Amino acid sequence: MKTNKSKLKNIVFIIVIGLFIIPQTRQPIQIWLNKGLAQFSPRTIAPTNRDILTNYNWYLKDNQDHKFNFKTMKGKIVLVNFWATWCPPCIAEMPSLEKLYNAYKDKIEFVFVSNEEKANIAHFLKEKNYSFKVFQPVSQYPDTFDVSSIPRTFLIDTKGHIVIDKTGAANWNSKTVRQTIDALLEAKD
């Protein structure tokens, strides 16, 4: 009886490893696993530990090649998300970012950033029915961001304090994030 259980465990293990090796099944499995991780809300940084964004000198362009100067974000509440269409954790958290964007697009600024080709970004947004605008960097982002892996998301208050700095998938439409944004909006008024 023990050998049958061991054989069954070994067979299941080999199937799972095989699914990760096959390119067509790897990404969907990774996205599914990351969706589990994306159920957790990102944490806010204690006020005494928050970095301050002092350099807003950063140029980007949108899908129509319109230039965008990040300096226009100074003094505003901004959510900056670095992501890619091929990144499973990015894909996993995108539905929550879309919901947050739809709820707060008239109250705070959203800057979604990807290094990918415009056609890839446009196809992804259309396929997933996402409504937010994506920018491509034209110049180096401010040093405060220090992006070494994606997804990487920052929530910045009106004074440039980084209130949330999250690497990896998260639930951006959570009660915690909404309460944090609402508190920033109240402090702004």
Side-chain angles (χ1 to χ4, degrees), residues 107-169:
K107 299 174 185 175
I108 71 170
E109 302 295 328
F110 289 84
V111 180
F112 292 89
V113 182
S114 178
N115 283 330
E116 293 180 271
E117 295 292 324
K118 291 186 288 187
N120 291 347
I121 295 168
H123 175 74
F124 180 84
L125 295 176
K126 185 176 180 180
E127 178 184 319
K128 301 292 184 183
N129 201 26
Y130 291 141
S131 58
F132 51 82
K133 186 183 281 191
V134 178
F135 298 92
Q136 295 171 296
V138 174
S139 66
Q140 180 64 31
Y141 52 76
D143 291 339
T144 308
F145 290 150
D146 189 29
V147 179
S148 57
S149 65
I150 55 174
R152 181 83 183 265
T153 307
F154 301 90
L155 179 62
I156 305 162
D157 72 9
T158 57
K159 295 180 181 164
H161 297 104
I162 297 177
V163 178
I164 297 176
D165 177 353
K166 173 68 175 145
T167 301

